[in-house]
Amino acid sequence: MLAQLTINNYALINHLSIDFSSGLSIITGETGAGKSILLGALGLVLGNRADLSSLKDTSTKCVVEAKVAIANYNLEDFFNEVDLDYEAETIIRREILPSGKSRAFVNDTPVTLSVLNQLRSKLIDVHSQHQTMQLSDNSFQFTILDALAKNTAKIASYKRGFNQLTKLKRELTVLEEQQKEANKQYDYNLHLFKELEEAKIKVDEQEDLEEKLEKLNNIEDIKDNLSEALGITVNDEIGIQNLLNTLENRLSKIAIFSKEYQNLSERVTSVKIEIDDIVTELEDANENVDFNPNEAEEINDRLQLLYNLQKKHTVGNNVELIAIFEELSEKVAQVESADEVINLKQKEIGEVSEKLDKVADLISSARTKSIPKLNKELHALLSDLGMENARFSIKIKQTKNYFSNGKDELEFLFSANKGGSFGELKKVASGGELSRIMLSVKTILSENTQLPTIIFDEIDTGVSGEVSNKIAAIMQQMSKNMQVIAITHLPQIAAKGANHYKVYKQEVKGVTTTNLKLLSTDERIKEIAEMLSGKDITDSALTHAKELLSL
Protein backbone atom coordinates (compact mmCIF):
# COMPACT_ATOMS: atom_id res chain seq x y z
CA MET A 1 0.00 0.00 0.00
CA LEU A 2 0.98 3.63 -0.41
CA ALA A 3 2.34 4.60 3.01
CA GLN A 4 3.73 8.07 2.30
CA LEU A 5 3.96 10.58 -0.53
CA THR A 6 6.51 13.40 -0.47
CA ILE A 7 6.56 16.11 -3.14
CA ASN A 8 9.10 18.92 -3.55
CA ASN A 9 9.05 21.70 -6.16
CA TYR A 10 6.31 20.21 -8.35
CA ALA A 11 3.75 22.42 -10.14
CA LEU A 12 2.08 24.51 -7.37
CA ILE A 13 3.59 22.45 -4.56
CA ASN A 14 6.65 23.76 -2.67
CA HIS A 15 6.88 20.92 -0.19
CA LEU A 16 4.32 18.37 0.84
CA SER A 17 4.64 15.14 2.83
CA ILE A 18 1.60 13.11 3.74
CA ASP A 19 1.15 9.71 5.36
CA PHE A 20 -1.56 7.30 4.22
CA SER A 21 -3.04 4.34 6.03
CA SER A 22 -4.84 1.17 5.01
CA GLY A 23 -8.59 1.04 4.47
CA LEU A 24 -10.57 3.77 2.74
CA SER A 25 -9.02 7.24 2.53
CA ILE A 26 -10.88 10.23 1.10
CA ILE A 27 -9.44 13.28 -0.67
CA THR A 28 -11.66 16.32 -1.24
CA GLY A 29 -11.14 19.92 -2.27
CA GLU A 30 -12.56 22.68 -4.38
CA THR A 31 -12.34 22.51 -8.15
CA GLY A 32 -8.91 23.78 -9.16
CA ALA A 33 -7.43 23.28 -5.70
CA GLY A 34 -4.86 20.85 -7.03
CA LYS A 35 -6.24 17.30 -6.87
CA SER A 36 -4.97 16.68 -10.41
CA ILE A 37 -1.54 17.96 -9.34
CA LEU A 38 -1.39 15.26 -6.67
CA LEU A 39 -2.25 12.59 -9.23
CA GLY A 40 0.30 14.08 -11.63
CA ALA A 41 3.04 13.86 -9.00
CA LEU A 42 2.04 10.30 -8.16
CA GLY A 43 2.03 9.42 -11.86
CA LEU A 44 5.50 10.93 -12.19
CA VAL A 45 6.99 8.80 -9.41
CA LEU A 46 5.30 5.73 -10.92
CA GLY A 47 6.88 6.18 -14.34
CA ASN A 48 5.05 8.84 -16.36
CA ARG A 49 7.21 10.92 -18.68
CA ALA A 50 8.82 13.96 -17.09
CA ASP A 51 8.36 17.53 -18.27
CA LEU A 52 10.53 20.50 -17.32
CA SER A 53 7.36 22.58 -16.99
CA SER A 54 6.54 20.46 -13.90
CA LEU A 55 9.16 22.36 -11.90
CA LYS A 56 7.73 25.11 -9.72
CA ASP A 57 11.19 26.69 -9.37
CA THR A 58 13.20 25.99 -12.51
CA SER A 59 16.50 26.58 -10.69
CA THR A 60 15.95 23.68 -8.29
CA LYS A 61 15.31 20.02 -8.95
CA CYS A 62 11.88 18.48 -8.47
CA VAL A 63 11.73 15.37 -6.26
CA VAL A 64 8.73 13.10 -5.77
CA GLU A 65 9.08 10.16 -3.40
CA ALA A 66 6.65 7.37 -2.57
CA LYS A 67 7.04 4.92 0.28
CA VAL A 68 5.11 1.72 -0.40
CA ALA A 69 4.57 -1.19 1.97
CA ILE A 70 4.89 -4.32 -0.16
CA ALA A 71 5.32 -7.14 2.34
CA ASN A 72 2.00 -8.71 1.31
CA TYR A 73 2.47 -8.43 -2.47
CA ASN A 74 4.87 -11.40 -3.01
CA LEU A 75 7.20 -9.26 -5.11
CA GLU A 76 10.54 -10.81 -4.11
CA ASP A 77 10.80 -12.72 -7.41
CA PHE A 78 10.09 -9.58 -9.43
CA PHE A 79 12.79 -7.63 -7.58
CA ASN A 80 15.26 -10.45 -8.29
CA GLU A 81 14.30 -10.50 -11.98
CA VAL A 82 15.01 -6.77 -12.40
CA ASP A 83 18.08 -6.93 -10.12
CA LEU A 84 16.74 -4.70 -7.33
CA ASP A 85 17.15 -4.93 -3.58
CA TYR A 86 13.88 -6.02 -2.01
CA GLU A 87 12.65 -4.02 0.98
CA ALA A 88 9.33 -4.56 2.79
CA GLU A 89 9.02 -0.76 2.77
CA THR A 90 10.25 0.23 -0.66
CA ILE A 91 11.15 3.81 -1.55
CA ILE A 92 10.48 4.96 -5.13
CA ARG A 93 12.02 8.32 -6.02
CA ARG A 94 11.81 10.42 -9.18
CA GLU A 95 13.89 13.51 -9.84
CA ILE A 96 13.66 16.15 -12.56
CA LEU A 97 16.79 18.29 -12.78
CA PRO A 98 16.76 21.94 -13.93
CA SER A 99 18.51 20.73 -17.09
CA GLY A 100 15.42 18.66 -17.90
CA LYS A 101 17.15 15.36 -17.21
CA SER A 102 15.03 12.84 -15.35
CA ARG A 103 16.21 10.10 -12.96
CA ALA A 104 14.37 7.32 -11.18
CA PHE A 105 15.40 5.18 -8.19
CA VAL A 106 13.99 2.21 -6.33
CA ASN A 107 15.57 1.78 -2.90
CA ASP A 108 18.33 4.14 -4.09
CA THR A 109 19.15 1.95 -7.11
CA PRO A 110 18.80 3.73 -10.48
CA VAL A 111 16.09 2.18 -12.67
CA THR A 112 14.66 2.70 -16.14
CA LEU A 113 11.12 3.92 -16.71
CA SER A 114 10.34 0.50 -18.14
CA VAL A 115 11.14 -1.18 -14.80
CA LEU A 116 9.26 1.57 -12.95
CA ASN A 117 6.16 0.98 -15.05
CA GLN A 118 6.37 -2.78 -14.44
CA LEU A 119 6.53 -2.12 -10.71
CA ARG A 120 3.68 0.39 -10.95
CA SER A 121 1.29 -2.26 -12.32
CA LYS A 122 1.98 -4.38 -9.23
CA LEU A 123 1.51 -1.59 -6.68
CA ILE A 124 -0.95 1.15 -7.52
CA ASP A 125 -3.94 1.33 -9.88
CA VAL A 126 -4.88 4.95 -10.53
CA HIS A 127 -8.38 4.93 -11.97
CA SER A 128 -9.57 8.14 -13.60
CA GLN A 129 -12.76 8.76 -15.55
CA HIS A 130 -11.23 8.25 -18.99
CA GLN A 131 -9.99 4.80 -17.92
CA THR A 132 -13.57 3.51 -18.00
CA MET A 133 -12.85 3.01 -21.70
CA GLN A 134 -10.76 0.03 -20.58
CA LEU A 135 -14.06 -1.76 -20.23
CA SER A 136 -14.27 -1.97 -24.00
CA ASP A 137 -10.75 -3.35 -24.29
CA ASN A 138 -10.84 -7.07 -25.02
CA SER A 139 -7.74 -7.85 -22.96
CA PHE A 140 -9.22 -6.10 -19.91
CA GLN A 141 -12.47 -8.02 -20.38
CA PHE A 142 -10.46 -11.24 -20.36
CA THR A 143 -8.75 -10.04 -17.16
CA ILE A 144 -12.14 -9.76 -15.44
CA LEU A 145 -13.29 -13.18 -16.62
CA ASP A 146 -9.99 -14.88 -15.82
CA ALA A 147 -9.99 -13.45 -12.30
CA LEU A 148 -13.25 -15.26 -11.53
CA ALA A 149 -12.10 -18.35 -13.43
CA LYS A 150 -8.93 -18.55 -11.29
CA ASN A 151 -6.93 -18.86 -14.51
CA THR A 152 -3.77 -17.08 -13.36
CA ALA A 153 -1.59 -20.20 -13.06
CA LYS A 154 -3.04 -21.79 -16.21
CA ILE A 155 -2.47 -18.64 -18.27
CA ALA A 156 1.10 -18.35 -16.95
CA SER A 157 1.69 -21.94 -18.10
CA TYR A 158 0.01 -21.22 -21.44
CA LYS A 159 2.15 -18.11 -22.00
CA ARG A 160 5.35 -20.10 -21.49
CA GLY A 161 4.16 -22.58 -24.11
CA PHE A 162 2.93 -19.79 -26.38
CA ASN A 163 6.34 -18.07 -26.27
CA GLN A 164 8.02 -21.39 -27.06
CA LEU A 165 5.62 -22.01 -29.95
CA THR A 166 6.20 -18.51 -31.31
CA LYS A 167 9.98 -19.06 -31.14
CA LEU A 168 9.72 -22.43 -32.92
CA LYS A 169 7.52 -20.98 -35.66
CA ARG A 170 10.01 -18.18 -36.16
CA GLU A 171 12.81 -20.72 -36.46
CA LEU A 172 10.75 -22.75 -38.96
CA THR A 173 10.18 -19.65 -41.08
CA VAL A 174 13.93 -18.96 -41.12
CA LEU A 175 14.66 -22.57 -42.11
CA GLU A 176 12.08 -22.46 -44.90
CA GLU A 177 13.46 -19.16 -46.20
CA GLN A 178 16.98 -20.53 -46.07
CA GLN A 179 15.89 -23.66 -47.94
CA LYS A 180 14.05 -21.58 -50.51
CA GLU A 181 17.15 -19.47 -51.11
CA ALA A 182 19.44 -22.50 -51.06
CA ASN A 183 17.24 -24.33 -53.58
CA LYS A 184 17.75 -21.51 -56.05
CA GLN A 185 21.52 -22.11 -55.96
CA TYR A 186 21.40 -25.87 -55.44
CA ASP A 187 21.92 -27.05 -59.04
CA TYR A 188 24.80 -24.67 -59.63
CA ASN A 189 26.42 -25.47 -56.26
CA LEU A 190 26.00 -29.21 -56.91
CA HIS A 191 27.74 -28.84 -60.31
CA LEU A 192 30.65 -26.97 -58.70
CA PHE A 193 30.82 -29.51 -55.87
CA LYS A 194 30.88 -32.49 -58.24
CA GLU A 195 33.54 -30.81 -60.39
CA LEU A 196 35.83 -30.33 -57.38
CA GLU A 197 35.01 -33.77 -55.99
CA GLU A 198 36.03 -35.44 -59.26
CA ALA A 199 39.25 -33.41 -59.34
CA LYS A 200 40.34 -35.06 -56.05
CA ILE A 201 42.60 -32.15 -55.16
CA LYS A 202 45.48 -32.65 -52.72
CA VAL A 203 47.15 -29.91 -50.69
CA ASP A 204 50.79 -30.17 -51.99
CA GLU A 205 49.95 -31.68 -55.36
CA GLN A 206 50.53 -28.56 -57.46
CA GLU A 207 54.09 -27.95 -56.21
CA ASP A 208 55.10 -31.59 -56.85
CA LEU A 209 53.64 -31.58 -60.35
CA GLU A 210 55.27 -28.29 -61.26
CA GLU A 211 58.64 -29.67 -60.15
CA LYS A 212 58.18 -32.88 -62.20
CA LEU A 213 57.16 -30.92 -65.28
CA GLU A 214 60.13 -28.63 -64.92
CA LYS A 215 62.39 -31.70 -64.77
CA LEU A 216 60.82 -33.28 -67.85
CA ASN A 217 61.04 -30.05 -69.83
CA ASN A 218 64.84 -29.89 -69.17
CA ILE A 219 65.63 -33.58 -69.51
CA GLU A 220 68.45 -33.14 -72.10
CA ASP A 221 70.38 -30.62 -70.02
CA ILE A 222 69.95 -32.81 -66.98
CA LYS A 223 71.26 -35.92 -68.81
CA ASP A 224 74.24 -34.03 -70.31
CA ASN A 225 75.28 -32.59 -66.97
CA LEU A 226 74.85 -35.88 -65.15
CA SER A 227 77.06 -37.64 -67.74
CA GLU A 228 79.71 -34.95 -67.49
CA ALA A 229 79.60 -35.08 -63.69
CA LEU A 230 80.11 -38.83 -63.79
CA GLY A 231 83.05 -38.35 -66.13
CA ILE A 232 84.69 -35.90 -63.74
CA THR A 233 84.37 -38.34 -60.86
CA VAL A 234 85.14 -41.75 -62.42
CA ASN A 235 87.73 -40.97 -65.17
CA ASP A 236 90.66 -43.45 -64.85
CA GLU A 237 93.35 -40.80 -65.09
CA ILE A 238 91.99 -37.46 -63.94
CA GLY A 239 88.72 -38.49 -62.20
CA ILE A 240 88.08 -37.26 -58.65
CA GLN A 241 87.53 -40.79 -57.41
CA ASN A 242 90.88 -42.00 -58.79
CA LEU A 243 92.78 -38.95 -57.50
CA LEU A 244 91.29 -39.42 -54.03
CA ASN A 245 92.43 -43.05 -54.06
CA THR A 246 95.95 -41.88 -54.80
CA LEU A 247 95.78 -39.18 -52.14
CA GLU A 248 94.45 -41.63 -49.56
CA ASN A 249 97.28 -44.07 -50.40
CA ARG A 250 100.00 -41.41 -49.99
CA LEU A 251 98.75 -40.11 -46.65
CA SER A 252 98.20 -43.57 -45.21
CA LYS A 253 101.90 -44.27 -45.64
CA ILE A 254 102.98 -41.34 -43.46
CA ALA A 255 100.07 -41.45 -40.99
CA ILE A 256 102.12 -43.56 -38.63
CA PHE A 257 104.68 -40.78 -38.17
CA SER A 258 102.43 -38.17 -36.51
CA LYS A 259 98.90 -37.40 -35.39
CA GLU A 260 98.76 -34.52 -37.83
CA TYR A 261 99.28 -36.88 -40.81
CA GLN A 262 96.90 -39.39 -39.29
CA ASN A 263 94.14 -36.75 -39.05
CA LEU A 264 94.71 -35.70 -42.65
CA SER A 265 94.55 -39.32 -43.77
CA GLU A 266 91.26 -39.91 -41.92
CA ARG A 267 89.71 -36.77 -43.37
CA VAL A 268 90.62 -37.83 -46.92
CA THR A 269 89.14 -41.26 -46.25
CA SER A 270 85.92 -39.60 -45.09
CA VAL A 271 85.79 -37.44 -48.24
CA LYS A 272 86.44 -40.53 -50.37
CA ILE A 273 83.49 -42.37 -48.78
CA GLU A 274 81.23 -39.38 -49.46
CA ILE A 275 82.43 -39.18 -53.09
CA ASP A 276 81.79 -42.90 -53.53
CA ASP A 277 78.18 -42.37 -52.33
CA ILE A 278 77.77 -39.42 -54.66
CA VAL A 279 79.09 -41.47 -57.59
CA THR A 280 76.56 -44.23 -56.84
CA GLU A 281 73.67 -41.74 -56.76
CA LEU A 282 74.93 -40.02 -59.92
CA GLU A 283 74.98 -43.37 -61.70
CA ASP A 284 71.44 -44.16 -60.51
CA ALA A 285 70.19 -40.70 -61.50
CA ASN A 286 71.84 -40.98 -64.92
CA GLU A 287 70.30 -44.38 -65.57
CA ASN A 288 66.82 -43.20 -64.47
CA VAL A 289 66.78 -40.08 -66.62
CA ASP A 290 64.21 -40.84 -69.25
CA PHE A 291 61.87 -38.55 -71.14
CA ASN A 292 58.28 -39.84 -71.27
CA PRO A 293 56.17 -37.54 -73.48
CA ASN A 294 52.94 -39.15 -72.17
CA GLU A 295 53.87 -38.39 -68.58
CA ALA A 296 54.67 -34.79 -69.45
CA GLU A 297 51.32 -34.44 -71.19
CA GLU A 298 49.46 -35.95 -68.25
CA ILE A 299 51.19 -33.64 -65.77
CA ASN A 300 50.57 -30.65 -67.98
CA ASP A 301 46.86 -31.54 -68.28
CA ARG A 302 46.54 -32.01 -64.53
CA LEU A 303 48.21 -28.70 -63.80
CA GLN A 304 46.01 -26.96 -66.35
CA LEU A 305 42.94 -28.40 -64.62
CA LEU A 306 44.13 -27.04 -61.27
CA TYR A 307 44.93 -23.63 -62.79
CA ASN A 308 41.51 -23.46 -64.44
CA LEU A 309 39.71 -24.38 -61.19
CA GLN A 310 41.70 -21.81 -59.23
CA LYS A 311 40.86 -19.14 -61.80
CA LYS A 312 37.19 -20.16 -61.84
CA HIS A 313 36.91 -19.84 -58.07
CA THR A 314 39.26 -16.81 -57.92
CA VAL A 315 41.77 -18.41 -55.54
CA GLY A 316 45.53 -18.83 -55.71
CA ASN A 317 46.25 -22.32 -54.41
CA ASN A 318 44.88 -25.78 -53.64
CA VAL A 319 44.35 -25.03 -49.95
CA GLU A 320 41.79 -22.37 -50.88
CA LEU A 321 40.21 -24.70 -53.46
CA ILE A 322 39.75 -27.38 -50.81
CA ALA A 323 38.13 -24.79 -48.48
CA ILE A 324 35.65 -23.91 -51.25
CA PHE A 325 34.99 -27.60 -51.82
CA GLU A 326 34.13 -28.05 -48.13
CA GLU A 327 31.90 -24.96 -48.19
CA LEU A 328 30.05 -26.26 -51.25
CA SER A 329 29.72 -29.63 -49.55
CA GLU A 330 27.94 -27.96 -46.61
CA LYS A 331 25.62 -26.00 -48.89
CA VAL A 332 24.67 -29.09 -50.88
CA ALA A 333 24.21 -31.14 -47.71
CA GLN A 334 22.09 -28.38 -46.17
CA VAL A 335 19.65 -28.52 -49.06
CA GLU A 336 19.64 -32.30 -49.19
CA SER A 337 19.01 -32.57 -45.42
CA ALA A 338 16.74 -29.51 -45.15
CA ASP A 339 13.54 -31.53 -45.46
CA GLU A 340 14.60 -33.67 -42.53
CA VAL A 341 15.48 -30.62 -40.40
CA ILE A 342 12.22 -28.90 -41.32
CA ASN A 343 10.25 -32.07 -40.57
CA LEU A 344 11.87 -32.29 -37.14
CA LYS A 345 11.02 -28.64 -36.46
CA GLN A 346 7.43 -29.17 -37.61
CA LYS A 347 7.20 -32.22 -35.35
CA GLU A 348 8.46 -30.14 -32.42
CA ILE A 349 5.87 -27.45 -33.22
CA GLY A 350 3.17 -30.11 -33.33
CA GLU A 351 4.16 -31.46 -29.91
CA VAL A 352 4.18 -28.00 -28.32
CA SER A 353 0.86 -27.14 -30.02
CA GLU A 354 -0.71 -30.30 -28.66
CA LYS A 355 0.32 -29.44 -25.10
CA LEU A 356 -0.78 -25.83 -25.61
CA ASP A 357 -4.18 -26.96 -26.86
CA LYS A 358 -4.76 -28.90 -23.65
CA VAL A 359 -3.96 -25.86 -21.48
CA ALA A 360 -6.09 -23.63 -23.74
CA ASP A 361 -8.99 -26.06 -23.32
CA LEU A 362 -8.68 -25.85 -19.53
CA ILE A 363 -8.59 -22.04 -19.70
CA SER A 364 -11.61 -21.92 -22.01
CA SER A 365 -13.59 -24.36 -19.88
CA ALA A 366 -12.92 -22.35 -16.70
CA ARG A 367 -13.95 -19.14 -18.48
CA THR A 368 -17.19 -20.67 -19.72
CA LYS A 369 -18.06 -21.91 -16.22
CA SER A 370 -17.35 -18.49 -14.67
CA ILE A 371 -19.59 -16.48 -17.04
CA PRO A 372 -22.85 -17.13 -15.09
CA LYS A 373 -21.10 -16.12 -11.86
CA LEU A 374 -19.72 -12.92 -13.43
CA ASN A 375 -23.15 -12.04 -14.81
CA LYS A 376 -24.74 -12.64 -11.42
CA GLU A 377 -22.21 -10.56 -9.47
CA LEU A 378 -22.27 -7.69 -11.97
CA HIS A 379 -26.07 -7.65 -11.95
CA ALA A 380 -26.19 -7.61 -8.13
CA LEU A 381 -23.65 -4.80 -7.83
CA LEU A 382 -25.20 -2.68 -10.58
CA SER A 383 -28.69 -3.15 -9.11
CA ASP A 384 -27.39 -1.65 -5.88
CA LEU A 385 -25.97 1.22 -7.91
CA GLY A 386 -29.34 2.06 -9.50
CA MET A 387 -28.92 0.04 -12.71
CA GLU A 388 -31.52 -2.68 -12.04
CA ASN A 389 -32.07 -3.40 -15.73
CA ALA A 390 -28.41 -3.66 -16.67
CA ARG A 391 -27.59 -6.90 -18.45
CA PHE A 392 -24.49 -8.40 -20.00
CA SER A 393 -24.14 -10.85 -22.86
CA ILE A 394 -20.80 -12.60 -22.39
CA LYS A 395 -19.88 -15.33 -24.85
CA ILE A 396 -16.73 -17.38 -25.35
CA LYS A 397 -15.82 -18.90 -28.70
CA GLN A 398 -12.78 -21.14 -29.00
CA THR A 399 -10.83 -20.70 -32.24
CA LYS A 400 -7.96 -22.43 -33.98
CA ASN A 401 -5.77 -19.39 -33.47
CA TYR A 402 -3.23 -19.01 -30.66
CA PHE A 403 -3.50 -15.72 -28.79
CA SER A 404 -1.28 -14.55 -25.93
CA ASN A 405 -3.86 -15.60 -23.31
CA GLY A 406 -5.46 -18.65 -24.94
CA LYS A 407 -7.42 -19.58 -28.06
CA ASP A 408 -10.69 -17.84 -27.18
CA GLU A 409 -12.51 -14.93 -28.70
CA LEU A 410 -14.65 -12.99 -26.23
CA GLU A 411 -17.86 -11.09 -26.92
CA PHE A 412 -18.68 -8.74 -24.04
CA LEU A 413 -21.88 -6.82 -24.78
CA PHE A 414 -24.11 -4.64 -22.59
CA SER A 415 -27.68 -3.42 -22.37
CA ALA A 416 -28.72 -0.77 -19.85
CA ASN A 417 -32.47 -0.90 -20.41
CA LYS A 418 -35.06 -3.62 -20.12
CA GLY A 419 -35.85 -5.04 -23.53
CA GLY A 420 -32.99 -3.07 -25.09
CA SER A 421 -30.59 -4.63 -27.55
CA PHE A 422 -27.04 -5.52 -26.63
CA GLY A 423 -24.13 -3.48 -27.92
CA GLU A 424 -20.51 -2.58 -27.23
CA LEU A 425 -20.05 -0.87 -23.89
CA LYS A 426 -18.45 2.26 -25.32
CA LYS A 427 -21.38 2.70 -27.70
CA VAL A 428 -24.39 1.98 -25.48
CA ALA A 429 -23.31 3.01 -21.95
CA SER A 430 -23.23 6.61 -20.69
CA GLY A 431 -20.30 8.06 -18.76
CA GLY A 432 -22.07 7.61 -15.43
CA GLU A 433 -23.02 4.04 -16.30
CA LEU A 434 -19.45 3.24 -17.32
CA SER A 435 -18.19 4.59 -13.99
CA ARG A 436 -20.58 2.37 -12.05
CA ILE A 437 -19.74 -0.66 -14.21
CA MET A 438 -16.03 -0.05 -13.66
CA LEU A 439 -16.55 0.25 -9.90
CA SER A 440 -18.43 -3.06 -9.97
CA VAL A 441 -15.66 -4.68 -12.00
CA LYS A 442 -12.95 -3.39 -9.65
CA THR A 443 -14.95 -4.74 -6.72
CA ILE A 444 -15.05 -8.18 -8.30
CA LEU A 445 -11.34 -8.01 -9.13
CA SER A 446 -10.47 -6.96 -5.56
CA GLU A 447 -12.23 -10.05 -4.24
CA ASN A 448 -10.60 -12.47 -6.69
CA THR A 449 -7.10 -11.11 -7.21
CA GLN A 450 -4.43 -9.45 -5.12
CA LEU A 451 -5.07 -5.99 -6.50
CA PRO A 452 -2.65 -3.21 -5.56
CA THR A 453 -3.68 0.05 -3.98
CA ILE A 454 -6.46 1.59 -6.03
CA ILE A 455 -7.09 5.30 -6.39
CA PHE A 456 -10.49 6.39 -7.70
CA ASP A 457 -10.46 9.83 -9.26
CA GLU A 458 -14.07 11.06 -9.09
CA ILE A 459 -15.57 7.74 -10.17
CA ASP A 460 -18.78 9.04 -8.62
CA THR A 461 -19.28 11.61 -11.41
CA GLY A 462 -22.87 11.66 -12.60
CA VAL A 463 -24.41 10.01 -9.55
CA SER A 464 -26.06 11.31 -6.41
CA GLY A 465 -28.52 10.40 -3.65
CA GLU A 466 -28.89 6.78 -2.69
CA VAL A 467 -26.53 5.60 -5.45
CA SER A 468 -23.70 7.59 -3.89
CA ASN A 469 -24.33 5.80 -0.58
CA LYS A 470 -24.09 2.47 -2.41
CA ILE A 471 -20.82 3.54 -4.06
CA ALA A 472 -19.45 4.47 -0.66
CA ALA A 473 -20.53 1.13 0.78
CA ILE A 474 -18.83 -0.74 -2.09
CA MET A 475 -15.61 1.23 -1.58
CA GLN A 476 -15.72 0.42 2.13
CA GLN A 477 -16.14 -3.26 1.31
CA MET A 478 -13.21 -3.12 -1.15
CA SER A 479 -11.02 -1.44 1.45
CA LYS A 480 -11.19 -4.58 3.61
CA ASN A 481 -9.00 -6.36 1.05
CA MET A 482 -6.87 -3.46 -0.18
CA GLN A 483 -6.01 0.19 0.26
CA VAL A 484 -8.59 2.44 -1.42
CA ILE A 485 -8.09 6.16 -1.95
CA ALA A 486 -11.06 8.07 -3.38
CA ILE A 487 -11.01 11.60 -4.74
CA THR A 488 -14.63 12.67 -4.52
CA HIS A 489 -17.01 15.62 -4.58
CA LEU A 490 -19.86 13.76 -2.89
CA PRO A 491 -20.33 14.22 0.90
CA GLN A 492 -21.97 10.79 1.22
CA ILE A 493 -18.75 9.14 0.00
CA ALA A 494 -16.44 11.54 1.85
CA ALA A 495 -18.11 10.61 5.13
CA LYS A 496 -17.30 6.91 4.73
CA GLY A 497 -13.52 7.22 4.77
CA ALA A 498 -11.39 6.08 7.67
CA ASN A 499 -9.20 9.11 6.92
CA HIS A 500 -10.12 12.35 5.19
CA TYR A 501 -7.59 14.63 3.44
CA LYS A 502 -8.24 18.06 1.98
CA VAL A 503 -6.48 19.64 -0.97
CA TYR A 504 -6.43 23.44 -0.73
CA LYS A 505 -4.67 26.44 -2.22
CA GLN A 506 -2.84 29.02 -0.16
CA GLU A 507 -1.39 32.39 -1.16
CA VAL A 508 1.78 33.51 0.57
CA LYS A 509 3.45 36.79 -0.44
CA GLY A 510 1.61 36.76 -3.74
CA VAL A 511 2.58 33.17 -4.58
CA THR A 512 -0.08 30.45 -4.80
CA THR A 513 0.76 26.98 -3.54
CA THR A 514 -1.17 23.73 -3.24
CA ASN A 515 -1.27 21.83 0.06
CA LEU A 516 -2.79 18.64 1.42
CA LYS A 517 -3.65 17.96 5.04
CA LEU A 518 -5.27 15.26 7.14
CA LEU A 519 -8.48 16.65 8.67
CA SER A 520 -9.32 16.40 12.32
CA THR A 521 -12.87 15.41 13.32
CA ASP A 522 -14.00 19.05 13.63
CA GLU A 523 -12.33 20.00 10.35
CA ARG A 524 -13.96 17.03 8.69
CA ILE A 525 -17.44 18.03 9.91
CA LYS A 526 -16.88 21.50 8.50
CA GLU A 527 -15.56 20.16 5.16
CA ILE A 528 -18.53 17.83 4.63
CA ALA A 529 -20.97 20.54 5.69
CA GLU A 530 -19.36 22.82 3.09
CA MET A 531 -19.75 20.10 0.48
CA LEU A 532 -23.45 19.93 1.40
CA SER A 533 -24.32 23.63 1.49
CA GLY A 534 -21.45 25.59 0.00
CA LYS A 535 -19.28 28.28 1.57
CA ASP A 536 -22.14 29.58 3.75
CA ILE A 537 -22.37 26.66 6.12
CA THR A 538 -25.75 26.29 7.80
CA ASP A 539 -26.58 24.63 11.09
CA SER A 540 -28.61 22.02 9.25
CA ALA A 541 -25.60 21.26 7.05
CA LEU A 542 -23.42 20.77 10.13
CA THR A 543 -26.08 18.50 11.64
CA HIS A 544 -26.34 16.54 8.40
CA ALA A 545 -22.55 16.26 8.25
CA LYS A 546 -22.45 14.80 11.76
CA GLU A 547 -25.19 12.34 10.82
CA LEU A 548 -23.21 11.22 7.76
CA LEU A 549 -20.16 10.76 9.98
CA SER A 550 -22.28 8.92 12.56
CA LEU A 551 -21.20 11.38 15.26
Side-chain angles (χ1 to χ4, degrees), residues 12 42 65 73 112 115 128 168 192 210 259 375 420 439 459 471 492 528 533:
L12 295 179
L42 185 59
E65 189 173 276
Y73 288 0
T112 63
V115 170
S128 58
L168 289 172
L192 295 177
E210 286 173 339
K259 275 192 174 184
N375 264 321
L439 178 60
I459 197 170
I471 290 176
Q492 293 90 339
I528 291 175
S533 65

Side-chain angles (χ1 to χ4, degrees), residues 96-278:
I96 308 175
L97 305 180
S99 63
K101 184 179 179 181
S102 166
R103 300 185 298 187
F105 304 85
V106 174
N107 295 328
D108 287 328
T109 300
V111 295
T112 63
L113 291 189
S114 172
V115 170
L116 208 54
N117 275 293
Q118 289 179 64
L119 183 58
R120 168 191 196 151
S121 67
K122 300 175 186 298
L123 297 178
I124 299 176
D125 179 7
V126 180
H127 178 76
S128 58
Q129 293 177 50
H130 75 273
Q131 285 180 309
T132 54
M133 299 313 295
Q134 267 189 308
L135 289 166
S136 296
D137 181 68
N138 201 240
S139 62
F140 184 70
Q141 293 167 354
F142 270 118
T143 299
I144 304 165
L145 195 55
D146 286 326
L148 264 75
K150 306 298 181 187
N151 271 340
T152 302
K154 289 189 282 288
I155 289 177
S157 174
Y158 174 89
K159 282 185 175 178
R160 288 192 292 272
F162 177 75
N163 291 336
Q164 186 183 4
L165 182 64
T166 302
K167 179 175 175 286
L168 289 172
K169 285 184 174 179
R170 226 174 11 242
E171 290 171 354
L172 178 61
T173 299
V174 170
L175 284 173
E176 288 174 338
E177 286 299 318
Q178 286 177 343
Q179 185 189 32
K180 187 177 178 181
E181 190 62 33
N183 282 338
K184 293 179 183 177
Q185 302 293 326
Y186 176 71
D187 289 339
Y188 180 59
N189 285 338
L190 181 62
H191 166 72
L192 295 177
F193 170 74
K194 291 289 186 185
E195 188 176 49
L196 290 174
E197 185 180 42
E198 290 170 4
K200 296 179 181 177
I201 301 164
K202 297 175 184 176
V203 175
D204 298 325
E205 178 185 15
Q206 182 177 334
E207 291 76 8
D208 292 341
L209 290 175
E210 286 173 339
E211 184 179 329
K212 284 182 181 179
L213 186 63
E214 183 72 12
K215 183 178 175 182
L216 289 171
N217 287 337
N218 294 278
I219 198 69
E220 293 299 328
D221 282 347
I222 292 170
K223 194 163 184 64
D224 289 345
N225 283 285
L226 282 174
S227 297
E228 190 174 339
L230 272 173
I232 292 171
T233 55
V234 300
N235 186 282
D236 288 341
E237 295 180 2
I238 59 169
I240 294 173
Q241 200 173 34
N242 187 50
L243 292 174
L244 279 172
N245 285 335
T246 303
L247 180 60
E248 181 186 33
N249 185 44
R250 296 289 182 270
L251 290 176
S252 66
K253 289 180 180 180
I254 62 173
I256 58 173
F257 300 123
S258 87
K259 275 192 174 184
E260 178 184 358
Y261 304 147
Q262 186 180 352
N263 287 338
L264 286 171
S265 177
E266 289 174 354
R267 287 169 67 187
V268 169
T269 300
S270 178
V271 170
K272 181 178 175 297
I273 292 169
E274 181 66 20
I275 286 295
D276 289 343
D277 286 342
I278 291 172

Side-chain angles (χ1 to χ4, degrees), residues 2 4-6 42 45 64-68 90-93:
L2 178 63
Q4 186 182 71
L5 182 65
T6 303
L42 185 59
V45 79
V64 182
E65 189 173 276
K67 181 191 290 184
V68 286
T90 284
I91 306 295
I92 307 171
R93 186 172 78 255

Side-chain angles (χ1 to χ4, degrees), residues 157-158 161-162 164-165 168-169 345-362 398 400 402 407:
S157 174
Y158 174 89
F162 177 75
Q164 186 183 4
L165 182 64
L168 289 172
K169 285 184 174 179
K345 188 66 68 176
Q346 288 172 335
K347 183 181 178 183
E348 196 175 355
I349 287 172
E351 290 171 353
V352 173
S353 297
E354 189 176 341
K355 292 177 183 177
L356 208 55
D357 287 342
K358 291 178 181 178
V359 181
D361 287 342
L362 293 173
Q398 196 168 21
K400 293 182 180 180
Y402 294 99
K407 297 179 70 176

Side-chain angles (χ1 to χ4, degrees), residues 491-507:
Q492 293 90 339
I493 293 176
K496 299 298 182 183
N499 295 292
H500 188 158
Y501 303 85
K502 181 176 181 177
V503 181
Y504 63 97
K505 280 184 178 178
Q506 190 175 29
E507 188 175 313

